[in-house]
Amino acid sequence: MSSPKSRAQSSSVSVPPDYITGTGIDKHAIEVRSKLHPFAQKNLDENVLHLFKNTLVLGPHWFGLVPTEMAKLMKKDADAPLCSESTSALASHSLVNKNLSRSFPSSEVRNSSVKWVDWIDRLLPRYGAHWKRAGIYDVILLSKHSINRDENLLAAALCFWNSASNTFDFGVGSMAPTLLDMAQIFGFRPHGRPVDAVGDYHRRKNQEKLAKPFTISPALINQNCSFSNYLRKFSAEKDKDQQHMLFLMYWLNRFILPNRSSAVLLEYKHLAKALHNHTDVGLGPTVLAHLFKNLHTATLENPLNLSASGAF
């Protein structure tokens, strides 16, 4: 039997939080590691989605204890003041209701005679299989539905965002969206052909068919860049390849990587062309990076800047 003194000493020993010790995840880590081993020498690109079909990763995860360097960083982040500690941020109810609607685009454009849903339905028979191979089928169909937002709930969650570690610093530990979440929830490829601002997308000679060029004039797109004009002008484009690339440009600008201008910009022309010509574009990292940037912009100011471009 231990003495009162020894019991007092043991009770005074500080116990690290769960996200440092890894308590509760060891069994899961062993299971995942056992599944990963057979694929170690194979192309993970073919197996990663199958492997994690029933697994949802919501935050930083290590097999065992968190590395010392990371633990120190997380402790430093935890000591930094967060938006949740600011009364002015939490008292910005009117600002939340006013600006948050920009980050939740409705499926249809107001007062537009041409419907986005109809454009999807027209292209679905021809390009549905291509969308599935490219990992964008589910997200395109999801854009047919408008999302009912909860302003107060989202604003409260943003108050815990920490851009130093790209995590939500909740009381139970850190939590953050990951590449596997992008793949599991939306279907975005976690890796593959990288999104390339130059537009060459690493094409290899004699290994791929000649990519279809984007021939629509940039000036014509700029003249019809508003969502309603764009739908009216380009949804009936006779060239099927060009119409599909125009369709993908609209989808990217309105639903996936929206901008503060609320218009179709030429910035994603190369990406639309790549998604038309290839099915291995790793869109997941780009979407996740855009989300991280948007969260940083929204929480950088005090109170919350919910007019930041991008879809939460």
Side-chain angles (χ1 to χ4, degrees), residues 9 14 16 26 33 125 243 253 280:
Q9 289 177 343
S14 60
D26 288 340
R33 186 162 43 197
Q243 184 184 153
N253 276 277
D280 60 345

Side-chain angles (χ1 to χ4, degrees), residues 21 69 71 78 127 151 167 202 210 217 245 268 312:
T21 63
E69 295 79 5
Y127 292 105
E151 292 96 343
T167 58
H202 306 279
L210 185 63
S217 166
M245 285 184 265
Y268 301 115
F312 290 111

Side-chain angles (χ1 to χ4, degrees), residues 133-169:
R133 292 193 300 270
I136 59 177
Y137 176 86
D138 291 329
V139 191
I140 289 178
L141 294 190
L142 181 62
S143 67
K144 298 173 69 173
H145 306 279
S146 297
I147 299 175
N148 295 324
R149 61 186 182 273
D150 188 331
E151 292 96 343
N152 296 325
L153 179 62
L154 181 56
L158 290 177
C159 287
F160 294 91
W161 179 254
N162 189 336
S163 291
S165 55
N166 282 338
T167 58
F168 291 98
D169 290 349

